[in-house]
Structure formats: structure tokens, C-alpha cells
Amino acid sequence: MDNYHNRVISIAPKDIDKGYAVEIINKYLNNTGQYETYGFGDSYNDFPLIAAVDYGIAMKNALDELKETAYDITEYPNYQDGVARYINDKIFKK
């Protein structure tokens, strides 16, 4: 259980997190490196996700600690379509 921002509590089974979900999805898709993986996050529960993907992207409104570990940072926060804009501008136009 993680408690952060004094208003959010995240409850999950032990050793189950967003990074584990990436592992399961990669196994299901038989992705052994032929596909690039991206993950977007803004808070404490996103550290495992950022670590598990090829390109961990922190949202503009993310925790500073997450931004420090991320590959890149979006130009817009999540509440201004930051993920969609990043995908359109930096992945689709790559």
C-alpha cells in the first residue's frame, strides 16, 4: 500500500504494479524487443512503469523525482491532453 499526497492510497497485491503489467503485456504480445514500449506517468505508482518500458515519459505535472528518472517529459500536463499530444508530436512524427 502506498500513501501519497495525503489524499490518495494505492492498494495492490504484493509485487503487482504497473511494471509487472508491462511484463505480462510484453509476454502476451511476444514482444522480445522488436517493438518499442512507452509508458506515461506522474506519480509514485509510476516508477515501476517508467523502469519497465523502453521510453518512460513523465508528465509535465509529474513529481520531480519521477521527472529525474524519465527518458523525456511532456510539454503539457495530463489534464491538457499531454499524453495524446506527446504521441502525436514525438512518436507518430518520428
Side-chain angles (χ1 to χ4, degrees), residues 33-67:
Q34 68 269 33
Y35 305 112
E36 294 178 334
T37 56
Y38 292 80
F40 295 83
D42 63 357
S43 199
Y44 293 106
N45 65 340
D46 295 310
F47 280 99
L49 170 68
I50 297 294
V53 296
D54 297 319
Y55 302 100
I57 313 300
M59 302 305 299
K60 181 177 183 174
N61 59 295
L63 298 167
D64 288 337
E65 300 94 331
L66 190 67
K67 289 178 181 178

